[in-house]
Amino acid sequence: MERVTVDIVSDVVCPWCYLGKARLELAIAEVQDEVGVDVNWRPFRLNPDHPQEGVDHQADLARKLGGKDAVDRAHEMLKKLGEEVGIRYNFEAIKIGPNTLDAHRLLHWAIMEGREVQDRVATALFRTNFEEGRNVGDHMVLADIAAQSGLNRKVIENLLKTEADKDTMLSEIDAAQKMGVTGVPFFIIDGQYAVSGAQTPDVFANALREIAKLKAEARKGMI
């Protein structure tokens, strides 16, 4: 069985990224007998100028989208799409629009414990923000997520008090932008194929199958 790697460039406050994650997981389940898939989470910041304490999320969103009616329409559509894949968006509960750099640091530390741990952290970050409305820029919230995901709470609390790996995250974000990533989610498969946006599970599944097939053919050509 061929294995492919999917690097997901995303931000934890991007509703389409949460949707894309769920849809990709359905695709992975569909091809699990044909293709092995390893997932890595890569950082991106939709709101790099947000202060550490965050902003009034509802007001900020209304300003960006052109008023409350536009926000409500966008949320209604996302809620329907979310229900199809088991996401219960609770947009009304989100009060703070956070600075997500520390959340990305947490994801970075999680990968050191393995992909499964990183994925648990990613899931928890999305759920905490979009379904519980808690501030994923708050260090106590991040420590809770770390502990629930199997990381050492005290270690994470101490790391969050430092500048550890902030430059690494900013460099990764800069590299993604230089590659042409201007919006998220953005899926990079095996470092050379790109899928942009929260595509439907069948699109992801077909991409995974096709890339695995190309890998297998390339390997045969080398023999």
Side-chain angles (χ1 to χ4, degrees):
M1 183 189 295
E2 293 293 334
R3 296 200 71 83
V4 300
T5 300
V6 180
D7 289 285
I8 307 176
V9 185
S10 78
D11 197 358
V12 298
V13 292
C14 163
W16 292 100
C17 296
Y18 195 11
L19 184 69
K21 178 185 191 300
R23 287 176 166 179
L24 176 65
E25 287 168 350
L26 289 173
I28 291 172
E30 183 181 328
V31 304
Q32 63 182 343
D33 295 329
E34 309 164 59
V35 186
V37 183
D38 298 316
V39 174
N40 302 314
W41 290 89
R42 303 298 185 190
F44 194 88
R45 289 199 294 172
L46 291 174
N47 306 298
D49 296 327
H50 278 8
Q52 183 61 40
E53 67 273 15
V55 301
D56 181 322
H57 174 69
Q58 301 296 337
D60 184 60
L61 206 55
R63 179 182 58 79
K64 285 179 179 173
L65 297 185
K68 188 177 185 307
D69 287 346
V71 171
D72 290 344
R73 286 194 298 273
H75 284 173
E76 208 51 48
M77 176 179 63
L78 278 160
K79 283 180 180 179
K80 289 177 181 175
L81 294 173
E83 286 172 4
E84 295 173 3
V85 292
I87 295 172
R88 301 172 67 87
Y89 285 115
N90 184 9
F91 294 110
E92 296 78 12
I94 306 172
K95 307 303 180 189
I96 301 295
N99 183 309
T100 57
L101 185 59
D102 287 337
H104 288 303
R105 287 203 292 161
L106 178 58
L107 281 166
H108 175 68
W109 299 326
I111 191 61
M112 297 175 187
E113 300 297 324
R115 287 191 173 99
E116 286 187 13
V117 177
Q118 189 187 46
D119 197 67
R120 284 202 297 271
V121 170
T123 300
L125 285 164
F126 282 123
R127 184 183 298 125
T128 298
N129 181 69
F130 285 111
E131 301 189 32
E132 300 173 11
R134 298 172 70 200
N135 177 8
V136 292
D138 182 275
H139 286 187
M140 291 300 290
V141 173
L142 293 175
D144 287 345
I145 289 170
Q148 293 160 8
S149 303
L151 294 168
N152 185 305
R153 183 189 185 100
K154 199 65 185 174
V155 169
I156 298 301
E157 285 178 345
N158 289 335
L159 282 169
L160 286 168
K161 293 174 185 175
T162 72
E163 299 293 303
D165 295 309
K166 283 188 178 181
D167 287 347
T168 301
M169 295 298 91
L170 294 173
S171 294
E172 280 201 34
I173 293 166
D174 185 55
Q177 291 171 330
K178 285 178 178 174
M179 280 175 52
V181 179
T182 57
V184 287
F186 194 86
F187 302 81
I188 303 167
I189 306 177
D190 266 10
Q192 53 185 325
Y193 305 98
V195 177
S196 180
Q199 302 294 333
T200 54
D202 61 308
V203 171
F204 282 127
N206 289 337
L208 294 170
R209 288 190 181 104
E210 186 62 28
I211 291 162
K213 180 182 174 185
L214 290 171
K215 285 188 76 171
E217 290 172 349
R219 182 174 287 106
K220 286 178 184 175
M222 294 170 64
I223 296 174

